Amino acid sequence: LPISRETDIPQIFNELGFKTGAEPKRILAHVCRRGDIDSKMVGAIQMQALSSTFDVSESVAAAFARRVSRRDPRDPELRIVPI
């Protein structure tokens, strides 16, 4: 279920956008793999040209931020950071 955008829901920045060939399902799969979370914990994905933002459930936000702070060997140049 999508998570409604509220002020206490953490928002995350990702360096995948439509000009880099990304689409929402690719972003969702990447975010879930990197953060080791279920897709139900991810809210709406807002795509821009070179980046995207998305919400994660507050219940997993701290652990998610720790996991994605480490570089991914599969995509070492791709950053995912809380905003």
Side-chain angles (χ1 to χ4, degrees):
L1 298 170
I3 299 166
S4 64
R5 181 73 182 124
E6 297 175 19
T7 57
D8 61 342
I9 302 296
Q11 193 169 45
I12 312 293
F13 169 85
N14 186 358
E15 292 179 327
L16 289 172
F18 61 83
K19 282 192 174 182
T20 61
E23 53 189 43
K25 67 181 180 179
R26 177 178 169 219
I27 293 171
L28 181 61
H30 182 81
V31 163
C32 290
R33 180 181 63 81
R34 285 280 309 274
D36 192 26
I37 61 173
D38 188 273
S39 62
K40 294 176 183 157
M41 307 301 327
V42 180
I45 297 171
Q46 298 85 35
M47 293 188 62
Q48 293 84 38
L50 299 174
S51 64
S52 57
T53 56
F54 54 92
D55 304 329
V56 295
S57 172
E58 190 171 18
S59 65
V60 298
F64 177 85
R66 279 192 306 277
R67 290 182 191 114
V68 300
S69 68
R70 291 173 253 150
R71 291 287 181 180
D72 181 7
R74 289 172 54 181
D75 291 304
E77 301 302 315
L78 186 63
R79 291 182 315 131
I80 299 176
V81 295
I83 53 174

